[in-house]
Amino acid sequence: MKILVVGGGGREHAIIMKLAESPQVDALYCAPGNGGIAKYAECFPVKATDIDGIVALAKKLEVDYVFVAPDDPLVMGMVDALQAEGFHTFGPKKNAAILEGSKVFSKDLMQKYHIPTAEYHVFHTPADAQAFLKEANTYPTVIKADGLALGKGVVIAQNEEEAFAAISSIMEDKIFGESGSQIVIEEFLTGPEVSVLSFTDGKTVVPMVSSMDHKRALDGDMGSNTGGMGTVAPNPYYTPEIARECMETIFLPTIHAMQKEGRPFQGCLYFGLMLTPKGPKVIEYNCRFGDPETQVVLPLLKTDLVEIMQAIWEEKLDQLEIQWKDESAACVVMASGGYPKKYTTGLPISGLDENGQIEGCFVYHAGTKLGDGKILTSGGRVLGVTATADSLRNALKTAYAGVEKITFQNAHYRKDIGQRALKALPEL
Ligand code: AMP
Ligand code: GLY
């Protein structure tokens, strides 16, 4: 089987390394890929958002499957375009990817089908939003741009001044473009956050091992929001009892709602949850694998990912038993100094072997490129150093030992990945 993976970050590297384990795979391709992925798959310089370019590449390579990993091509309808040309795909079609592509759509769906989420109001003009906030006068409050915004479309406003500033930058200055033509203002929820990625063929939903992201740039959850500075799996706050409740009140209702709406969701559906004092609630849906959640979830997957992909394509997910390792995983992201603001790229990375790896860890490349045979930094998040072990403590120990062996100028990483999760675990 020949598979083309669309994307070029740490998530795609984790997907490719998992696909590479399958005895069914003859060739792996990636577009655009990166310096680490290039060691496992032939990379082509086609942008992940270039629908015509990807369709043309899939034709040229005569692939059997195209795995579309990032949010923007999914929301733009890349899967529809590929299927129209006869390709088998992994990922939702445009009419289902809207679950991530429009917060207004997802909130309205949850309201209609009684899926627990924060209370919310939708606004089309700044004046209406401001009038609502004056009247409600409850802070903190949460303001979200409707569309995709590189994970930066959510503002938690502590007071009226911050709220009005957010409304103005999203709706008037259009810092996220058309994504900001509508906004959602919602209730501020509290509680531990859990990411649950799931496989679904539109009818059956199979949750993967739970995980916990660390979104802020600095230790102690300080500093700016980032794409994610590290993850651990499983998430100890997500008990079997909570998992059962989520299945009943959130996962199945969401899959059935999408089916009823004529938008069956196939691929990976990501549930961003908050375990509030009033029970688990949906913070957001993503229409794809999370980054860097994938980096801790897929190493724990025992079942062949290609088999899962086929079962989803054939809508026979109910016939497959998906198995997980009874282990923990930790991923520590090494970022360019300054990320998520200004940073330098093109710096040589030392400590990696010829495959861009180090012994005992999976080193998922997020922002690297090859230059003169060397691996160089090329993005904000550079590497996700990941380890699995019999316990979270040991996984963290191995991942951090890996981080210590890798150097590049101004490398920045959080020293406290997994600390919050460890607090939730009973002392042994
Ligand atoms: P999102 O981009 O939707 O994942 O949101 C980014 C982060 O904002 C989430 O991971 C939460 O930490 C926070 N957040 C989003 N919505 C809410 C909410 N209603 N209440 C509290 N925090 C929220
Ligand atoms: N790590 C959060 C996301 O992938 O959206």
Side-chain angles (χ1 to χ4, degrees), residues 86 216 264 317:
R216 301 293 199 100
L317 196 57

Side-chain angles (χ1 to χ4, degrees), residues 278-358:
K278 291 186 186 157
K281 295 193 181 188
V282 178
I283 289 279
E284 62 163 347
Y285 293 114
N286 290 325
C287 65
R288 50 168 175 90
F289 277 92
D291 190 342
E293 284 87 347
T294 308
Q295 289 88 317
V296 284
V297 169
L298 286 187
L300 298 176
L301 176 64
K302 267 200 221 164
T303 308
D304 185 341
L305 183 56
V306 173
E307 269 185 49
I308 298 173
M309 196 172 76
Q310 286 170 314
I312 290 173
W313 177 257
E314 292 165 8
E315 298 179 22
K316 289 180 183 163
L317 196 57
D318 59 332
Q319 293 172 29
L320 189 68
E321 199 204 333
I322 298 179
Q323 294 186 321
W324 299 90
K325 293 179 191 163
D326 187 18
E327 291 179 7
S328 294
C331 169
V332 179
V333 170
M334 297 182 77
S336 300
Y339 171 77
K341 303 204 170 80
K342 237 174 103 86
Y343 54 83
T344 313
T345 58
L347 304 168
I349 304 172
S350 58
L352 300 172
D353 68 17
E354 66 275 14
N355 286 324
Q357 297 294 311
I358 46 171

Side-chain angles (χ1 to χ4, degrees), residues 46 77 110 159 215-216 267 379 399 418:
V46 180
M110 287 187 268
N159 51 48
K215 284 207 162 84
R216 301 293 199 100

Side-chain angles (χ1 to χ4, degrees), residues 103 118 142 144 151-154 156 186-190 193 215 225 274 283-284 286:
K103 298 235 190 282
V142 184
K144 299 184 171 184
K152 294 181 189 136
V154 175
I156 309 220
E186 69 177 32
E187 176 197 4
F188 177 74
L189 300 175
T190 55
E193 285 186 53
K215 284 207 162 84
N225 253 322
M274 199 171 268
I283 289 279
E284 62 163 347
N286 290 325

Side-chain angles (χ1 to χ4, degrees), residues 1-2 18 39 59 80 98 116 149 230 232 236 251 264 282 299 312 346 382 401 423:
M1 188 181 288
K2 297 202 272 186
K18 198 67 192 177
K39 308 287 183 180
K59 281 187 189 167
D80 307 60
I98 191 174
V232 297
F251 306 158
V282 178
I312 290 173
V382 177
K423 283 200 190 107

